[in-house]
């Protein structure tokens, strides 16, 4: 499938909605927790077992983005969005069959493995194209799209809950909900497939900068540079710190104020989770757009440095002030979302637009590790502290100290980022095809 080239007069502002149609769909992954209790009840699963499809999906997101990045660059955004549509929707359909037959392994395979491939390919599918359309505002452009991934749960959570209430929370009701998800998301993602275009020229904006301005580095060369691995650490540390709160948000705020005069109800805890999702989504467009004004290194100084301060405030004073706890958590989650949205523009600044989608895909392996590391740190330490007889905020003190240390490591890694050595640059834009062929054949 050849990349569709925009006809004369095509508006670049049609591309972000195409990207959003994909990212809002695959952002359903953050709403998986809605299906956990019904699955545990209907199929007799433990909490750890019911989390497996989500965990495998995040792992496959990173791996498929890493291994499929070059294919996305070669075949273009329409091909990538089509693959994402087929895999993500098929994952739901396989899960529907698994729930109907009460075969949980089929749900794990469908949602986690097949659907996870759709997550990874879909996540990186519009990145390179958006940066080429918006060379003057790459942070804003990628932020608009990646905002959809953070906000997908705001749509999927109530929608899924309503379906389970209407269809029932037994195995047949879950199967029907999965079926509706698969078919509905296929239609919605098809809008992006049909709408997306690549720019006709190197300057999609009249008198704007060329998309090939500055250094151009192939994906194969990029992974050999210290800059790539510094950014890998930056992303991993920032995501670990954010997902540590996100994954355990409801029980965490309940524990913090359980022994106070103002305990947190189940309904209030659910509202807190919704607030965190909103902060995650807002940070993706707000902070990434800010990075266009103050620079990528400076915005990551904010994410990592201020993020460490927010964790310190929660650890020291969080259980004495509910507004302080909520405010600090919202800031951390806005940085979590902003970090995802800003990293493609940071890669563009360092490595150019030549194979930025493939480079971004390789970098997302940091997300795969962080998706396991963050929840593991918070949950394992909380379990050990509870076994030792502690309760309330003391369950999380040590894990917060660890998160502060990880953010400091990320801060140092960001400070070490320097311009890429010219020996890694593609010599001339005209030689791009030749270099790409060499990279693909290696």
């Amino acid at each position: 499938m050849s990349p569709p080239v925009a006809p004369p007069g095509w508006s670049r502002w049609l591309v972000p909605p195409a990207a959003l149609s994909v990212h809002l769909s695959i952002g359903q992954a953050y709403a998986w927790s809605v299906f956990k209790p019904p699955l545990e009840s209907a199929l007799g699963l433990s909490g750890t077992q019911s989390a497996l499809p989500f965990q495998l999906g995040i792992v496959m997101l990173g791996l498929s983005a890493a291994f499929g990045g070059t294919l996305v660059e070669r075949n273009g955004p329409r091909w990538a969005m089509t693959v994402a549509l087929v895999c993500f929707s098929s994952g739901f359909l396989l899960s529907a069959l698994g729930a109907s037959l009460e075969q949980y392994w089929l749900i794990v395979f469908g949602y986690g493995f097949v659907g996870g491939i759709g997550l990874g390919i879909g996540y990186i599918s519009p990145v390179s194209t958006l940066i080429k359309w918006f060379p003057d505002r790459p942070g804003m452009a990628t932020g608009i799209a990646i905002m959809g991934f953070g906000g997908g749960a705001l749509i999927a959570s109530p929608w899924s809950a309503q379906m389970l209430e209407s269809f029932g929370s037994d195995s047949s009701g879950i199967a029907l909900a999965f079926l509706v998800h698969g078919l509905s998301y296929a239609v919605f993602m098809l809008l992006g497939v049909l709408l997306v275009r690549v720019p006709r020229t190197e300057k999609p904006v009249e008198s704007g900068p060329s998309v090939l301005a500055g250094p151009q580095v192939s994906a194969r060369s990029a992974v050999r540079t210290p800059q790539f691995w510094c950014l890998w650490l930056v992303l991993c540390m920032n995501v670990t710190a954010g997902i540590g709160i996100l994954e355990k948000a409801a029980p965490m705020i309940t524990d913090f104020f359980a022994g106070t005069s103002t305990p947190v109800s189940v309904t209030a805890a659910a509202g807190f989770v919704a607030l965190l999702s909103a902060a995650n989504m807002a940070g993706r467009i707000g902070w990434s757009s800010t990075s266009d004004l103050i620079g990528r290194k400076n915005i990551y100084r904010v994410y990592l440095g201020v993020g460490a301060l927010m964790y310190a405030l929660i650890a020291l004073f969080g259980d004495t002030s509910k507004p302080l706890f909520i405010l600090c958590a919202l800031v951390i989650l806005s940085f979590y979302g902003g970090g995802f949205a800003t990293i493609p523009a940071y890669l563009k600044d360092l490595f150019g637009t030549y194979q930025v989608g493939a480079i971004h895909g390789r970098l997302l392996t940091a997300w795969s590790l962080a998706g396991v590391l963050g929840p593991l740190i918070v949950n394992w330490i909380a379990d050990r502290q509870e076994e030792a007889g502690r309760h309330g905020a003391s369950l999380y003190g040590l894990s917060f100290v660890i998160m502060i240390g990880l953010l400091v490591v990320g801060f140092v890694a960001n400070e070490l980022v320097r311009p890429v050595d010219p020996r890694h640059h593609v010599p001339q834009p005209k030689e791009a095809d030749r270099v790409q062929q060499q990279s693909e054949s290696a």
Side-chain angles (χ1 to χ4, degrees), residues 207-220:
S207 301
S210 169
V211 296
L212 293 176
Q216 303 295 321
V217 182
S218 69
R220 183 185 182 191

Side-chain angles (χ1 to χ4, degrees), residues 16-357:
L20 268 175
S21 72
V22 173
H23 274 244
L24 281 170
S25 298
I26 63 177
Q28 184 279 336
Y30 279 144
W32 173 255
S33 60
V34 174
F35 289 102
K36 281 171 61 67
L39 283 169
E40 292 167 17
S41 175
L43 302 181
L45 306 174
S46 67
T48 301
Q49 289 173 319
S50 67
L52 187 57
F54 171 78
Q55 291 175 314
L56 180 58
I58 296 299
V59 170
M60 291 308 300
L61 186 159
L63 294 178
S64 62
F67 290 105
T70 301
L71 290 174
V72 172
E73 287 291 309
R74 184 195 310 168
N75 297 322
R78 177 168 289 178
W79 174 87
M81 289 180 178
T82 302
V83 171
L85 183 160
V86 171
C87 291
F88 189 66
S89 296
S90 296
F92 270 113
L93 298 182
L94 287 170
S95 297
L97 179 61
S100 178
L101 299 176
E102 298 189 357
Q103 296 294 317
Y104 186 60
W105 69 269
L106 194 52
I107 299 176
V108 174
F109 175 75
Y111 189 93
F113 185 81
V114 179
I117 294 173
L119 286 177
I121 300 299
Y123 190 87
I124 64 173
S125 62
V127 169
S128 176
T129 304
L130 283 165
I131 289 177
K132 289 172 182 175
W133 273 110
F134 293 86
D136 51 334
R137 286 181 281 182
M140 180 212 69
T142 55
I144 290 174
I146 293 175
M147 174 185 69
F149 192 85
L154 292 179
I155 299 172
S157 292
W159 183 40
S160 301
Q162 182 60 50
M163 277 196 285
L164 290 171
E165 184 177 338
S166 300
F167 301 151
S169 57
D170 58 358
S171 58
S172 60
I174 296 170
L176 190 53
F178 282 151
L179 177 63
V180 173
H181 273 79
L183 297 177
S184 299
Y185 282 132
V187 173
F188 195 57
M189 294 172 76
L190 184 61
L191 297 176
V193 173
L194 298 176
L195 195 59
V196 73
R197 299 287 189 279
V198 296
R200 177 177 294 273
T201 67
E202 290 181 16
K203 290 191 175 185
V205 185
E206 188 175 353
S207 301
S210 169
V211 296
L212 293 176
Q216 303 295 321
V217 182
S218 69
R220 183 185 182 191
S221 296
V223 296
R224 299 176 179 178
T225 65
Q227 288 83 354
F228 175 89
W229 294 106
C230 283
L231 289 190
W232 193 96
L233 265 179
V234 165
L235 182 64
C236 186
M237 299 300 99
N238 192 58
V239 173
T240 300
I243 209 168
I245 285 184
L246 184 63
E247 189 270 342
K248 202 173 175 65
M252 183 181 292
I253 193 172
T254 302
D255 290 337
F256 256 77
F257 299 98
T260 69
S261 60
T262 56
V264 177
S265 66
V266 174
T267 302
F272 175 62
V273 174
L275 278 177
L276 291 183
S277 296
N280 179 9
M281 181 174 64
R284 292 173 187 247
I285 181 62
W287 293 121
S288 60
S289 296
T290 303
S291 77
D292 289 332
L293 302 176
I294 69 174
R296 253 58 80 172
K297 177 174 278 193
N298 285 332
I299 201 67
Y300 272 97
R301 285 169 174 154
V302 174
Y303 296 157
L304 300 160
V306 178
L309 176 62
M310 294 297 104
Y311 257 116
L313 288 175
I314 292 178
L316 294 173
F317 310 111
D319 59 341
T320 64
S321 172
K322 195 178 296 182
L324 177 66
F325 179 94
I326 294 173
L327 177 62
C328 290
L330 291 176
V331 172
I332 291 171
L333 262 294
S334 76
F335 292 162
Y336 168 81
F340 278 122
T342 309
I343 203 70
Y346 208 162
L347 292 172
K348 176 259 181 188
D349 293 346
L350 289 171
F351 302 110
T353 60
Y354 169 47
Q355 287 190 333
V356 68

